[in-house]
Amino acid sequence: MSLRHALLALLTARPMTGYDLAKQFDVSVAYVWHAPHSQIYPELRKLEASGLVSAESTPRGSQATKRTYSITEEGRAELRRWVEEVAPPLPERDAAHLKATYYEFGSFANARRQFEGHLAYHQRQQLKWQIHVAQLEKHDTDLLRRRLAIEPEHTHDAIVAYKVHVYRGLVERARVEVEWAREGLALVDRLEAAETARRSAGD
Amino acid sequence: MSLRHALLALLTARPMTGYDLAKQFDVSVAYVWHAPHSQIYPELRKLEASGLVSAESTPRGSQATKRTYSITEEGRAELRRWVEEVAPPLPERDAAHLKATYYEFGSFANARRQFEGHLAYHQRQQLKWQIHVAQLEKHDTDLLRRRLAIEPEHTHDAIVAYKVHVYRGLVERARVEVEWAREGLALVDRLEAAETARRSAGD
DNA sequence: ACAGCCATGTAAGTCGTTACATGATTGC
DNA sequence: GCAATCATGTAACGACTTACATGGCTGT
């Protein structure tokens, strides 16, 4: 049930349309919780039905309407309740590590290809997060600036610090994945060398 | 689609019942891919229907039957295909980090409680994985021994090495999470001290 | 007799993915 | 006029969760 709370949290910065929210899910929140627009629009309707957000409709052209959502006082209360709640950790589901457990079913070339993919992906992630940390530290994101503009100044440090801490954590996590992939490549080299030695000895 | 492949991989060690497989999902595979028995039994039926596993039924009592599944040659081929396939990384979904982004909506006491929970959980995980690494290195798990018993000796190094590498990676990952939680606790201390100073200055 | 483990399932519901589908506005 | 972006949805399907439900075997 994290989607609804991610939406509520985003709406504390400013009222937004489903489209705006979907974009935010691509550039910031999505780094920790992904959601496509096909999930966002129905969820906003549900949030509206339960009174956690309110919607203002404005006409666009002759047939279409634009719906701008704002968080309600009940929505804020729900957000506080969620933050205070201790959630049991989600069950592990890590396709990359599962597959790596069984690389022996493929070739050395394949293991290398897989580790290289892992390496490249997490290097990109690391960079993305590093940039995000730098932006947060300079208050250089639209959403953060809007959020700070409406909150009392003495709370700004905490608001920024928690976010910076999260994204620094993700930078570190990506660094560990990159290291793991590099060590994986070294492992494949060792295994292949041993295999080659065995073959020439056996001949 | 990882569940089916995890099941196939487990069956390369020895034929097993759904119950056996469910237990394995609790003690080893589940560390990387969790699945409850209510998902395993229907999936085995599907695998059987597509010819990737075969089942042998033996009667138990008057009404019940036990079904023991074995991997087929097609199943092994599918496993090789899966290992060789480069899969796009799953979209991020990290409830703990999402919530931490918004700890400012709760109290300092809450942030502390959350970080402490994170710390305790990943410490347990780290220990569990360390133990698993040690067991793998000593070939001290039933499944691994059975797997090695039926594979040619020159492949043993690779079979063990990939698994050890995976679980060492998970130990490292858990270590980073523990560190992140500790730094989170230090952050809360700093934020609270600043808040206290501000209040006494304001009085 | 009872507990604990062995063993296999179903059912209802939610969450998430992928694809389909449509229309409006802005700037070139 | 056209492309890009703004904007909002639905539908079908598959993955996963939680709860319910049943029966057998082994040892005390």
Side-chain angles (χ1 to χ4, degrees):
Chain A
M1 294 249 65
S2 285
L3 174 57
R4 60 191 307 107
H5 297 109
L7 292 171
L8 290 173
L10 287 172
L11 290 175
T12 60
R14 66 174 174 93
M16 279 188 262
T17 65
Y19 184 83
D20 293 331
L21 286 160
K23 261 198 314 183
Q24 287 303 323
F25 268 85
D26 280 345
V27 298
S28 64
V29 195
Y31 301 175
V32 284
W33 199 272
H34 167 82
H37 75 271
S38 63
Q39 222 186 335
I40 291 170
Y41 287 114
E43 190 62 41
L44 284 168
R45 294 289 185 154
K46 281 190 219 163
L47 285 168
E48 194 191 357
S50 41
L52 304 181
V53 303
S54 64
E56 200 200 344
S57 293
T58 53
R60 290 175 64 238
S62 49
Q63 293 147 71
T65 46
K66 180 161 95 161
R67 296 171 62 80
T68 305
Y69 292 92
S70 309
I71 189 167
T72 61
E73 208 32 68
E74 291 98 305
R76 281 173 210 280
E78 170 57 23
L79 207 44
R80 283 191 293 270
R81 196 202 55 70
W82 169 69
V83 167
E84 294 275 338
E85 178 189 86
V86 176
L90 293 177
E92 304 288 334
R93 233 155 231 145
D94 182 335
H97 280 69
L98 173 62
K99 190 178 284 194
T101 309
Y102 296 107
Y103 279 170
E104 72 262 19
F105 291 120
S107 62
F108 291 125
N110 174 65
R112 221 169 252 128
R113 189 156 36 90
Q114 300 284 353
F115 280 128
E116 271 156 10
H118 197 84
L119 181 66
Y121 174 71
H122 287 284
Q123 268 175 341
R124 281 196 305 277
Q125 293 287 101
Q126 197 183 2
L127 185 62
K128 197 171 71 173
W129 284 326
Q130 276 166 345
I131 290 167
H132 197 60
V133 168
Q135 284 179 333
L136 287 172
E137 282 173 335
K138 289 185 294 187
H139 300 196
D140 195 19
T141 82
D142 180 58
L143 228 50
L144 179 61
R145 271 199 304 269
R146 283 173 178 275
R147 184 69 207 293
L148 295 180
I150 55 179
E151 302 283 354
E153 214 180 314
H154 73 268
T155 63
H156 290 191
D157 270 2
I159 293 172
V160 176
Y162 286 132
K163 287 163 192 46
V164 166
H165 185 57
V166 165
Y167 289 102
R168 278 204 188 130
L170 295 175
V171 170
E172 264 308 283
R173 191 193 277 181
R175 198 186 53 70
V176 167
E177 294 299 325
V178 165
E179 222 172 88
W180 180 76
R182 279 199 223 281
E183 281 161 15
L185 288 169
L187 171 62
V188 177
D189 287 345
R190 281 202 305 281
L191 290 172
E192 196 171 29
E195 171 83 3
T196 308
R198 191 187 62 83
R199 280 196 207 209
S200 54
D203 281 345
Chain B
M1 295 249 62
S2 287
L3 174 56
R4 60 190 309 106
H5 297 110
L7 292 171
L8 290 173
L10 287 172
L11 290 175
T12 61
R14 66 173 174 95
M16 277 188 264
T17 64
Y19 184 84
D20 293 332
L21 286 160
K23 261 198 313 183
Q24 287 303 323
F25 268 84
D26 280 346
V27 298
S28 65
V29 195
Y31 300 176
V32 283
W33 198 273
H34 168 81
H37 75 270
S38 64
Q39 220 187 335
I40 291 169
Y41 287 113
E43 190 63 41
L44 284 168
R45 293 290 184 154
K46 282 191 218 162
L47 285 169
E48 193 191 359
S50 41
L52 305 182
V53 303
S54 64
E56 202 200 343
S57 292
T58 53
R60 291 174 62 238
S62 50
Q63 294 147 68
T65 47
K66 179 163 97 161
R67 298 171 62 80
T68 305
Y69 292 93
S70 309
I71 189 166
T72 63
E73 209 31 69
E74 292 98 306
R76 281 173 211 280
E78 170 57 22
L79 207 45
R80 283 191 292 272
R81 199 203 52 70
W82 169 68
V83 167
E84 294 276 339
E85 177 189 87
V86 177
L90 292 177
E92 305 287 335
R93 234 158 232 139
D94 183 336
H97 280 69
L98 173 62
K99 189 179 283 194
T101 310
Y102 295 107
Y103 279 171
E104 72 261 19
F105 291 121
S107 62
F108 291 125
N110 174 65
R112 220 170 253 129
R113 189 156 36 91
Q114 301 284 353
F115 280 127
E116 272 157 10
H118 197 84
L119 180 66
Y121 174 71
H122 288 284
Q123 268 175 343
R124 282 195 305 276
Q125 293 286 102
Q126 197 183 3
L127 185 61
K128 196 171 73 173
W129 284 325
Q130 275 167 346
I131 290 167
H132 197 60
V133 167
Q135 284 179 333
L136 287 172
E137 282 173 335
K138 289 185 293 185
H139 300 197
D140 194 18
T141 82
D142 180 58
L143 229 49
L144 180 60
R145 271 199 304 268
R146 283 173 178 275
R147 184 66 207 294
L148 296 180
I150 55 178
E151 302 283 354
E153 214 181 313
H154 73 268
T155 62
H156 290 192
D157 270 2
I159 293 173
V160 176
Y162 286 132
K163 286 163 193 48
V164 167
H165 183 59
V166 165
Y167 289 100
R168 277 203 190 132
L170 295 175
V171 169
E172 265 308 282
R173 192 193 276 182
R175 198 187 53 71
V176 167
E177 293 299 325
V178 166
E179 222 173 89
W180 179 75
R182 280 199 224 280
E183 281 161 16
L185 288 169
L187 171 62
V188 177
D189 287 346
R190 281 203 304 283
L191 291 172
E192 195 171 28
E195 171 83 2
T196 307
R198 190 187 61 83
R199 279 195 208 210
S200 54
D203 280 344

